[in-house]
Amino acid sequence: MKNPDFIWSENSLVARLYIQYSVLEMPLSFEPFLYQTKDYLNVTSSYEKFSFYLFRSDEIAARACIHFTKDCHDLISPARAPFGGVQCDQNCNAGEIKFLLHCVENWFSKQSNPAVKLKGAPSCYYANGTYDLLSSAYEMSGYKVIGKCINCHIPISPSPFSMNITAAERRRLAKCKESGFCTEIYDKPDIDIVYDFIKESRNAKGYLLSITKEQLDILIYKFPQQYKLFVVTDQSKIIALAITVRVCQDVLYNFLPADLYTYKCFSPTVYLTEAIYNYCQEEEIAVLDMGLSLDHHGNQKPGLLKFKKNLGGEESVKITYQKVL
C-alpha cells in the first residue's frame, strides 16, 4: 500500500490523504457507492485526484471517505459523477465527519483553493440512516446549501408494478401490451444504436446530451454488471430505452431513459419502467432512483415530476453544499 501524502491525528482518529492519478484500493467498513469506487474514479477522470480517508486508530478499514477532482479553481466531490461528498459507516458520529472535513479544508486552504463543493446523494440512498448525520456534519463545519433539488424514486415492494401506479398509467401500460410491444434486457448493446437513439429522443424534446458516445461506451464496457440496458420493442424496432446503473446493493438508478416521439400516444416509458421494476424485485433491489426532473437549464419540470409520481414515485431531496475557504 502506498504511503499517504499527508496524515492528521486527533485523539483516536486518523485522516489520510492520497494524491494520485489512480485511486488505490482501500479497505472500507461500508459498501461504497459505485461513484466512490477505485475503478469508477480511475475510469471517469484522468486528472489528479485527492482521496481522504478517516480511520479510528485501532482499525484497518476506513470509516469514511471523500474524493475530489479539480474543476477550474474549485474542488468538487467529484466532478464527473452524479454525486459524491462524504460516505461513511453508520456507526460514525458527526464529530468524526467534522474532523475529516476539517482535514480537507486544512489541506486545500494551504493550496490557495477558493472553495470546496460537495454534491450530495439523494436522501433515498441512505438506508443506513447516515443522511441526517452527514447533513448535520456539513452544517457544523460551515458548509452552505447552494443547490437543492427534488429527486424522485420508486420504492420496490412485493406488489406488482400495476398496483402502485395511477389508473391512467395502467391504461397506457395495458395499451402497450395489447399492441404486442415487448420488453427485454439489451445484452451486448451496439453503442452507436443506443447513443443515436438517446440523442434523437433528447433532440426531439429540445434537450442536450451531457455525455459523449465515447464516455458512455467506456462505462458500459468497464461496468457490465452495474450498467444494464432495457428496451421496449415494436416487432424488432426499439421504441423506448433506458440505461440503468446499480449504484449500490439497494439502489438502481434510471440513468438515461429515452423514447420515440412518434410513439408518444402509447407512452412506452410506462412499460419500460415496469420491466425495470420487475428486475429490481428479482434482484432484491429496494429503490429505483428515477432521478431529477430538470430541463437543460436546470429548472424544475412539474409535468415530468408528476409523471414519475404517477408511476409510484416518491420525493427525496438532493443537496449541493459549498464552503468558501
Side-chain angles (χ1 to χ4, degrees):
M1 174 67 71
K2 177 181 180 292
N3 291 327
D5 293 276
F6 205 84
I7 297 177
W8 295 263
S9 298
E10 181 179 280
N11 299 324
S12 61
L13 298 177
V14 176
R16 301 176 190 168
L17 165 63
Y18 294 87
I19 306 172
Q20 61 233 327
Y21 288 93
S22 297
V23 176
L24 302 174
E25 190 75 66
M26 184 68 64
L28 304 171
S29 63
F30 54 90
E31 180 204 2
F33 297 136
L34 174 65
Y35 310 128
Q36 301 275 33
T37 62
K38 169 183 73 72
D39 290 341
Y40 188 91
L41 290 163
N42 289 341
V43 162
T44 54
S45 176
S46 60
Y47 295 105
E48 196 171 43
K49 303 166 186 70
F50 302 83
S51 299
F52 295 80
Y53 298 92
L54 175 69
F55 296 83
R56 291 174 183 165
S57 56
D58 58 342
E59 295 177 347
I60 297 175
R63 288 280 176 170
C65 68
I66 185 169
H67 304 274
F68 291 89
T69 50
K70 198 156 189 177
D71 180 43
C72 297
H73 298 294
D74 291 347
L75 275 298
I76 298 181
S77 174
R80 294 180 178 269
F83 59 79
V86 175
Q87 190 178 356
C88 68
D89 186 295
Q90 62 182 355
N91 295 316
C92 279
N93 60 58
E96 291 174 323
I97 305 303
K98 185 180 178 182
F99 169 68
L100 178 63
L101 292 172
H102 170 75
C103 297
V104 169
E105 296 149 22
N106 177 270
W107 177 262
F108 287 133
S109 63
K110 292 178 180 178
Q111 316 307 314
S112 301
N113 293 291
V116 172
K117 186 183 294 184
L118 313 179
K119 298 190 291 184
S123 53
C124 62
Y125 278 73
Y126 297 94
N128 63 0
T130 57
Y131 180 79
D132 291 338
L133 163 69
L134 293 174
S135 298
S136 175
Y138 293 150
E139 182 180 352
M140 288 167 56
S141 300
Y143 283 79
K144 305 299 182 185
V145 175
I146 61 168
K148 191 172 186 178
C149 298
I150 296 174
N151 195 73
C152 200
H153 67 281
I154 300 176
I156 307 301
S157 70
S159 62
F161 175 73
S162 59
M163 295 285 290
N164 303 318
I165 65 179
T166 63
E169 303 307 337
R170 275 196 295 273
R171 289 192 293 272
R172 294 186 178 98
L173 180 61
K175 186 177 181 181
C176 286
K177 294 179 179 180
E178 290 165 1
S179 299
F181 301 161
C182 297
T183 62
E184 61 181 316
I185 294 178
Y186 187 3
D187 290 319
K188 298 180 180 179
D190 184 316
I191 191 63
D192 291 321
I193 292 174
V194 170
Y195 191 84
D196 290 346
F197 183 92
I198 297 171
K199 187 175 182 179
E200 179 184 339
S201 175
R202 293 294 174 99
N203 288 343
K205 298 173 183 176
Y207 298 158
L208 299 175
L209 192 52
S210 59
I211 188 170
T212 67
K213 183 185 296 185
E214 291 72 24
Q215 290 169 338
L216 185 60
D217 190 24
I218 289 171
L219 290 173
I220 293 174
Y221 174 75
K222 290 287 187 179
F223 304 100
Q225 299 306 312
Q226 288 83 10
Y227 282 75
K228 298 289 183 183
L229 280 74
F230 294 80
V231 294
V232 178
T233 57
D234 179 7
Q235 303 298 325
S236 59
K237 178 182 180 181
I238 296 176
I239 62 173
L241 177 151
I243 299 174
T244 64
V245 187
R246 187 77 176 265
V247 182
C248 61
Q249 188 67 27
D250 288 335
V251 183
L252 187 73
Y253 173 37
N254 193 3
F255 171 43
L256 279 176
D259 56 15
L260 290 183
Y261 185 79
T262 52
Y263 280 78
K264 184 178 180 180
C265 63
F266 291 96
S267 195
T269 298
V270 181
Y271 196 15
L272 184 67
T273 307
E274 181 187 56
I276 300 171
Y277 181 95
N278 292 342
Y279 174 81
C280 289
Q281 286 183 321
E282 294 166 5
E283 295 295 316
E284 299 182 347
I285 297 170
V287 173
L288 173 56
D289 178 14
M290 300 295 283
L292 305 176
S293 302
L294 307 177
D295 62 20
H296 59 287
H297 296 299
N299 299 316
Q300 186 75 51
K301 292 191 67 182
L304 181 55
L305 179 59
K306 182 181 178 181
F307 173 67
K308 292 176 181 179
K309 288 184 176 181
N310 288 346
L311 299 181
E314 298 180 2
E315 288 187 11
S316 51
V317 63
K318 187 176 187 295
I319 299 177
T320 300
Y321 299 88
Q322 182 172 282
K323 183 172 184 178
V324 177
L325 302 179

